[in-house]
Amino acid sequence: MTAPRTLTARALLLDMDSTIVNSEAVVERCWRRWAAEQGMDAEEVLKVVHGRQGWATMAALLPDRPMEQNHEDNRRMLAQETADTDGVVPVPGAPAFMAALDGVPHALVTSASIPLADARMGAAGLAMPAVRITAESVSASKPDPEGFLKGAAELGFAPEDCLVFEDSEAGIRAGQAAGMRVVGVGERAAAFAPTALVTDLTLVRVEVLADDAGVRLHIDG
């Protein structure tokens, strides 16, 4: 657990996969299939797939591969992932956490496409935030900060007033590059120096502040 244990923010920016939605089973199935097609070690591939858009992961793994092929594989994988919701569930504590944000400025900032985000949030039984930044919204994948900066701008807040929830290296680096504080969620986040760290969202209590002053988050360890 990293300090501080109490954080205030005017707005929250939430990653989706492995942060509020547990889609690890689907991600593993799809990327194992892709790794087999490329003749690659699936375990090595799975170490780097989290947080980025699929084409960006493919480019990192196969730097000499034509980008057109990466985008084509990414389109195919997005279709597979969207159709496969078996095992997609909320991260522990996510339903109560999201319900507590009713009326609090917040946005989804995900590397998923709109159809994939709809499918996974629906499968997990979580309401889609009114503001969402998806793969279609940005020109660069995480760890580029573009998505988080766009989310803050759409909510009408400066980066320093926003707090990011993320699980992956790419996502945490993106939040940090945007000049935002980051709450890391899950074991994967521990290695990347988030502002605070929780194993899941059952350890976060949301206190809504008066006069539209945002939220105070009480983080237990």
Side-chain angles (χ1 to χ4, degrees):
M1 184 78 191
T2 56
R5 294 193 178 187
T6 301
L7 297 169
T8 58
R10 299 293 304 280
L12 302 184
L13 303 175
L14 314 174
D15 176 49
M16 182 179 70
D17 292 306
S18 299
T19 299
I20 58 175
V21 173
N22 182 345
S23 56
E24 299 267 343
V26 180
V27 170
E28 183 167 327
R29 282 194 293 272
C30 290
W31 280 99
R32 282 188 181 280
R33 187 182 304 122
W34 183 85
E37 292 170 356
Q38 311 309 315
M40 301 180 71
D41 183 337
E43 299 306 322
E44 293 302 311
V45 169
L46 288 170
K47 290 178 181 178
V48 298
V49 301
H50 298 285
R52 298 185 182 94
Q53 293 185 43
W55 61 264
T57 296
M58 294 169 191
L61 289 166
L62 297 170
D64 297 326
R65 193 179 196 230
M67 190 58 73
E68 295 82 2
Q69 193 170 352
N70 294 333
H71 282 291
E72 178 56 36
D73 278 8
N74 185 56
R75 283 190 288 272
R76 181 166 55 94
M77 184 175 289
L78 280 172
Q80 293 170 352
E81 289 184 294
T82 302
D84 183 359
T85 57
D86 186 27
V88 175
V89 295
V91 166
F97 175 75
M98 297 296 287
L101 297 184
D102 185 34
V104 175
H106 66 286
L108 191 74
V109 182
T110 176
S111 294
S113 64
I114 291 172
L116 182 55
D118 284 341
R120 287 188 175 164
M121 291 289 283
L126 299 176
M128 180 66 73
V131 175
R132 62 177 175 180
I133 306 298
T134 64
E136 295 89 343
S137 309
V138 297
S139 60
S141 175
K142 298 172 185 177
D144 191 281
E146 181 185 3
F148 287 122
L149 291 172
K150 282 195 169 186
E154 288 206 22
L155 291 172
F157 293 96
E160 59 267 26
D161 291 329
C162 298
L163 186 63
V164 168
F165 278 72
E166 265 284 3
D167 72 291
S168 69
E169 178 180 11
I172 292 170
R173 299 290 186 232
Q176 292 167 337
M180 301 174 183
R181 294 159 296 152
V182 181
V183 176
V185 181
E187 293 181 3
R188 190 160 46 233
F192 309 112
T195 309
L197 179 68
V198 294
T199 53
D200 60 45
L201 295 173
T202 63
L203 300 177
V204 181
R205 181 171 63 84
V206 177
E207 178 190 354
V208 180
L209 302 176
D211 302 320
D212 297 322
V215 296
R216 180 178 294 116
L217 301 177
H218 301 274
I219 299 172
D220 300 320

